[in-house]
Amino acid sequence: MTKPFRIAVFASGSGSNFQAIADAVNAGRLAGDSVTSSSMQPRLDVRIELLVCDRPKAQVVERARQLGVPAFVFRPKDYADREAYEKEILERLQALEIDLVVMAGYMRLITNVLVEPLYGRLINIHPSLLPSFPGLDAIKQAMDYGVKTTGVTVHYVDGGMDTGPIIAQRSVEITPQDTEESLAARIHEIEHVLLPQVIERIARGQVQLQGNITITS
Ligand code: GAR
């Protein structure tokens, strides 16, 4: 029997990346007998055990409901402070024995309540080639700056804003015809492929963290 690799996804908005991970699981790319990125790879059993969402009306909550993924949906203003709701999140992650937390459009900074116990098991996807354009509106930041190439980064999360060891990056050209919407659409397409790939590599134990550098085998 393959040991399940349990993931939790944090998201705040539309949840297209959450959907892409669920689609990869359901299509057998992250779980099931047909997982064969190369023919001799052992099978994987990635399971999305929990969605964590800080906005009750976000579309991702409905996606989770339709997919049958349990969700912890909260309103930050119902808690005394950030540490208070993060403690509750951490307890839920520990109770579910989560192996990897994937921040996929979770639009909140997180504190050491989560970062310290989860370091090395907590990743984030960001729509730029970090360290360029961290923070909010990364796609708009890149267009406003006038760079000709931007992209997508998946990285381990540390205490900073979109800092932490980089696991994988893909570049995306910006053309003179691009609008923020057209560029965002191409970036999302890349994200939906890259994020499940990174989860697969981590689940297979193929990503090693050495200081601030990651090595993928
Ligand atoms: C994604 O483009 C992700 O890279 C970005 O939010 C979007 C969420 O889309 N994350 C950040 O900007 C984090 N700083 P989705 O809800 O459709 O997955």
Side-chain angles (χ1 to χ4, degrees):
M1 280 282 283
T2 311
K3 190 176 168 294
F5 186 82
R6 300 186 168 91
I7 69 173
V9 180
F10 288 21
S12 303
S14 123
S16 68
N17 280 285
F18 169 80
Q19 184 78 50
I21 300 165
D23 290 348
V25 171
N26 293 335
R29 295 197 299 280
L30 286 174
D33 292 327
S34 60
V35 172
T36 51
S37 33
S38 90
S39 54
M40 298 312 284
Q41 295 271 24
R43 74 185 281 261
L44 270 185
D45 185 10
V46 174
R47 297 183 189 177
I48 308 178
E49 298 283 353
L50 185 67
L51 168 74
V52 172
C53 180
D54 58 317
R55 290 190 194 150
K57 293 193 176 141
Q59 192 189 343
V60 70
V61 176
E62 175 57 20
R63 291 186 196 263
R65 198 190 61 74
Q66 286 189 6
L67 288 159
V69 173
F72 172 53
V73 183
F74 65 100
R75 287 188 307 183
K77 63 176 185 202
D78 291 344
Y79 292 80
D81 53 25
R82 206 160 30 163
E83 281 78 4
Y85 65 73
E86 288 191 354
K87 274 184 196 145
E88 183 163 348
I89 293 171
L90 184 64
E91 278 167 21
R92 287 169 188 258
L93 298 175
Q94 287 169 338
L96 291 167
E97 299 183 19
I98 295 297
D99 295 297
L100 181 71
V101 172
V102 180
M103 290 173 46
Y106 182 69
M107 295 306 191
R108 283 182 183 276
L109 280 178
I110 61 171
T111 74
N112 271 334
V113 169
L114 288 173
V115 173
E116 266 177 21
L118 294 174
Y119 188 74
R121 294 185 294 134
L122 175 58
I123 65 172
N124 178 48
I125 187 159
H126 183 77
S128 76
L129 290 177
L130 290 171
S132 292
F133 312 123
L136 288 177
D137 298 324
I139 297 171
K140 181 173 187 313
Q141 287 188 58
M143 285 197 84
D144 288 350
Y145 195 97
V147 293
K148 306 304 177 205
T149 303
T150 185
V152 175
T153 302
V154 182
H155 63 97
Y156 285 111
V157 175
D158 63 9
M161 153 110 75
D162 298 319
T163 54
I166 289 171
I167 304 167
Q169 293 185 300
R170 295 287 180 275
S171 58
V172 176
E173 300 289 305
I174 303 180
T175 71
Q177 294 75 33
D178 263 323
T179 60
E180 212 181 306
E181 290 68 35
S182 65
L183 179 58
R186 290 208 305 293
I187 284 182
H188 273 122
E189 261 178 51
I190 304 276
E191 289 186 332
H192 298 163
V193 176
L194 184 63
L195 191 52
Q197 278 176 358
V198 169
I199 293 169
E200 179 187 349
R201 291 272 163 79
I202 293 174
R204 291 194 187 285
Q206 293 171 344
V207 181
Q208 256 66 52
L209 189 49
Q210 296 184 0
N212 201 46
I213 303 291
T214 69
I215 297 167
T216 301
S217 50

